[in-house]
Amino acid sequence: DIVEEEVREQLEEPAKYHVFLLNDDYTPMDFVVEVLIQFFNKNSDQAAEIMLKVHYDGKAICGIYSADIAQTKVEQVNQYARDHEHPLLCRCEQV
């Protein structure tokens, strides 16, 4: 019983990361909505709301993930934007 309690106390939840989209003056709003639906599993209403927050506030959180998933999402979105010749940027920051 004592060993089991010590092990439980040592386990910590992994760090979480916010994934953000950053505003720019060139990427079309429809493309940002498409990215939010495709990569962050948002419905069209949620995607439109987040897109407007990006537009007006300069950035918005798209989701909260573990480090590996957050970094993968950032890489996927940034590559997708480049493939479509848009300067949209995605970043992650530890919560």
Side-chain angles (χ1 to χ4, degrees), residues 32-43:
V32 176
V33 169
E34 177 185 330
V35 164
L36 289 162
I37 291 170
Q38 183 172 338
F39 293 100
F40 298 99
N41 300 317
K42 303 298 182 189
N43 64 40

Side-chain angles (χ1 to χ4, degrees), residues 12-93:
E12 292 182 20
E13 208 172 303
K16 297 290 184 176
Y17 290 78
H18 287 150
V19 176
F20 293 95
L21 282 181
L22 306 178
N23 189 39
D24 63 75
D25 293 332
Y26 302 100
T27 304
M29 292 179 176
D30 291 343
F31 184 80
V32 176
V33 169
E34 177 185 330
V35 164
L36 289 162
I37 291 170
Q38 183 172 338
F39 293 100
F40 298 99
N41 300 317
K42 303 298 182 189
N43 64 40
S44 33
D45 289 338
Q46 293 169 324
E49 184 177 329
I50 294 169
M51 176 274 299
L52 288 172
K53 184 160 179 59
V54 171
H55 181 70
Y56 290 115
D57 296 345
K59 71 178 186 178
I61 296 173
C62 304
I64 303 171
Y65 305 97
S66 63
D68 290 342
I69 294 172
Q71 190 58 42
T72 298
K73 296 238 182 236
V74 166
E75 291 170 7
Q76 289 174 332
V77 169
N78 288 339
Q79 186 60 53
Y80 187 74
R82 297 305 154 273
D83 291 346
H84 290 84
E85 300 179 355
H86 294 298
L88 181 68
L89 286 177
C90 188
R91 297 279 185 255
C92 65
E93 298 175 8

